Amino acid sequence: MPAKILSVDDSKTIRMLVAKAFRPYDCIVLEAGNGEEGLAVAQRERPDLIILDVTMPIMDGVTMLSKLKEDPDLKQIPVVMLTAESGRDNVMHIARLGARDYLVKPFKEDQLLAKITRIISLQPKGAGSAN
Amino acid sequence: MSKTIDYKELAVRYGLDPIPDSVIRLTQLLSKQDADLEEIARVISADPDLTVRLLRVANPRATNDQEFTIETVEEALMRTGVGCVLLLAMGAPLTAAILKTFQTMAGIQVRSVHPRSLPPLRGEHICGSIGFSGKAEGMIELRMIRPVAQRVAAAVLGLPEKELTDPTAVADTIGELLNIVTGNFKSNLCDAGLDCRIQPPKVHYANEVTPPPASAGGVERMAFRGPNVELFVTMVVNPWAD
């Protein structure tokens, strides 16, 4: 079954770049524009991994991360932060909340893929088993 | 028992860049803002780049560094004030954020140039701005002409320029680049002790360049040039807003 990755970012540009990065792989990229939408998608779709921005309208990424970690059904989903917020205190706070990894924008596609493939295994499209 | 989190360990685990020298420099200056001019001058004199930029501000009529009439950091400080130095010190992390963001996201190498070395921005252009507030308050503004915005956005999205016809996509991409630049800048200010928050980017097409009001704080204008790319950046900062 293809892996499900949820990209939560208020920037359509970033969501497009994330989707483009995973296009060669057998996975489904789901999208949400803020933390509230992200939580709803996470509850409905149970993704294998969440890529999460911090500064977003309606519900920011830090609040979404706290809510995910409070939810017994969702707390095991690994979260990788993808954000321009690299201040020491913010990074420490987010680490304490339980983010698995952290990638600071600006980023390159290969940096994102390297972080994600350390957490979940991705198969190139068309490389699936024959059974 | 919960394990204590050490930032250095985290930075290694997450692969984060170390705190830049420019931020350490800004932290030193902020810690000395109540100190006497001599002490501040010592910190500035240890930094050749900051020294030259301060002397340029103190000698506005000079067209090159040989024409300076104010030649010492102490004299320059008396003329410009400590606030000006802080503004100049904040310009370094902003410049670094712009260079890194355009190189990493768009593969475009830009370099900082004197704003007067570029022809002034005329006619329709895209203008993005992001405000920040807290212990430092102000705004970062990024302007570029429409074809440059199109070129930059296409490079970020990995599309041929001709295929990027949606002006909303161009505006969103420029807004995100500005968001990244300002986010990095804001993180640097926080690390230097100036805690602040940023607002969402506002992007629009404009025909005129309106200067920020004098009450907004100190203003530094910057310009950047790359292959077929010219960027105009304005930084407005009130470093003692809180």
Side-chain angles (χ1 to χ4, degrees), chain B residues 44-68:
Chain B
I44 298 164
S45 300
D47 183 334
D49 174 60
L50 194 54
T51 300
V52 169
R53 288 170 67 214
L54 175 66
L55 290 173
R56 282 180 190 157
V57 173
N59 291 277
R61 286 166 200 272
T63 53
N64 63 61
D65 299 357
Q66 280 70 50
E67 289 177 12
F68 289 166

Side-chain angles (χ1 to χ4, degrees), chain B residues 21-208:
Chain B
D21 289 345
S22 57
V23 176
I24 294 166
R25 194 181 307 149
L26 178 59
T27 313
Q28 287 175 334
L29 282 167
L30 283 165
S31 70
K32 293 194 187 302
Q33 60 180 281
D34 296 324
D36 58 44
L37 281 187
E38 232 172 77
E39 202 178 343
I40 296 171
R42 259 200 303 278
V43 175
I44 298 164
S45 300
D47 183 334
D49 174 60
L50 194 54
T51 300
V52 169
R53 288 170 67 214
L54 175 66
L55 290 173
R56 282 180 190 157
V57 173
N59 291 277
R61 286 166 200 272
T63 53
N64 63 61
D65 299 357
Q66 280 70 50
E67 289 177 12
F68 289 166
T69 52
I70 292 175
E71 291 177 283
T72 68
V73 169
E74 289 82 356
E75 280 178 293
L77 267 177
M78 290 211 288
R79 171 169 276 218
T80 64
V82 180
C84 174
V85 178
L86 280 179
L87 186 70
L88 292 177
M90 286 174 184
L94 178 61
T95 299
I98 290 167
L99 303 190
K100 189 175 177 190
T101 299
F102 277 80
Q103 172 71 64
T104 309
M105 300 300 291
I108 296 173
Q109 194 166 6
V110 293
R111 63 190 169 86
S112 174
V113 294
H114 195 291
R116 282 191 207 150
S117 71
L118 297 185
L121 201 54
R122 287 209 178 91
E124 196 193 37
H125 60 275
I126 197 164
C127 171
S129 63
I130 294 189
F132 52 93
S133 56
K135 284 190 178 170
E137 204 159 86
M139 179 198 72
I140 307 294
E141 194 180 77
L142 169 67
R143 292 176 192 261
M144 66 193 86
I145 57 169
R146 194 188 268 261
V148 169
Q150 171 115 2
R151 193 167 304 136
V152 170
V156 171
L157 296 170
L159 294 171
E161 253 180 86
K162 282 179 192 164
E163 278 182 29
L164 188 60
T165 51
D166 178 8
T168 316
V170 174
D172 188 77
T173 304
I174 300 303
E176 182 54 24
L177 288 179
L178 180 62
N179 197 34
I180 294 172
V181 166
T182 313
N184 279 239
F185 174 67
K186 174 246 168 191
S187 299
N188 287 161
L189 293 190
C190 291
D191 283 339
L194 294 171
D195 287 342
C196 49
R197 298 176 68 84
I198 58 172
Q199 291 144 15
K202 289 179 191 162
V203 182
H204 66 282
Y205 287 92
N207 284 305
E208 283 177 23

Side-chain angles (χ1 to χ4, degrees), chain A residues 11-14 17 84-88 90-92 95-96 99-102 104-108 115, chain B residues 5-7 10 13-14 16 19 100-101 103-105 156-157 172-173 176 179-180 183-184 186-187 191:
Chain A
S11 163
K12 197 176 164 193
T13 300
I14 296 296
L17 291 177
E85 295 268 349
S86 57
R88 191 175 34 210
N90 263 323
V91 173
M92 301 269 282
R96 279 193 199 101
R100 179 70 71 88
D101 211 335
Y102 206 104
V104 178
K105 297 174 188 172
F107 67 101
K108 283 185 188 292
K115 296 249 180 206
Chain B
I5 295 181
D6 175 71
Y7 178 73
L10 261 188
R13 172 148 58 98
Y14 288 159
L16 303 178
I19 292 176
K100 189 175 177 190
T101 299
Q103 172 71 64
T104 309
M105 300 300 291
V156 171
L157 296 170
D172 188 77
T173 304
E176 182 54 24
N179 197 34
I180 294 172
N184 279 239
K186 174 246 168 191
S187 299
D191 283 339

Side-chain angles (χ1 to χ4, degrees), chain A residues 10-31:
Chain A
D10 59 331
S11 163
K12 197 176 164 193
T13 300
I14 296 296
R15 298 200 308 268
M16 281 169 71
L17 291 177
V18 170
K20 181 169 153 270
F22 293 103
R23 213 167 284 153
Y25 297 92
D26 187 23
C27 63
I28 298 165
V29 179
L30 308 160
E31 293 185 14

Side-chain angles (χ1 to χ4, degrees), chain A residues 101-120:
Chain A
D101 211 335
Y102 206 104
L103 180 57
V104 178
K105 297 174 188 172
F107 67 101
K108 283 185 188 292
E109 209 174 278
D110 54 357
Q111 292 173 309
L112 176 67
L113 287 169
K115 296 249 180 206
I116 303 308
T117 50
R118 256 183 249 148
I119 303 170
I120 57 169

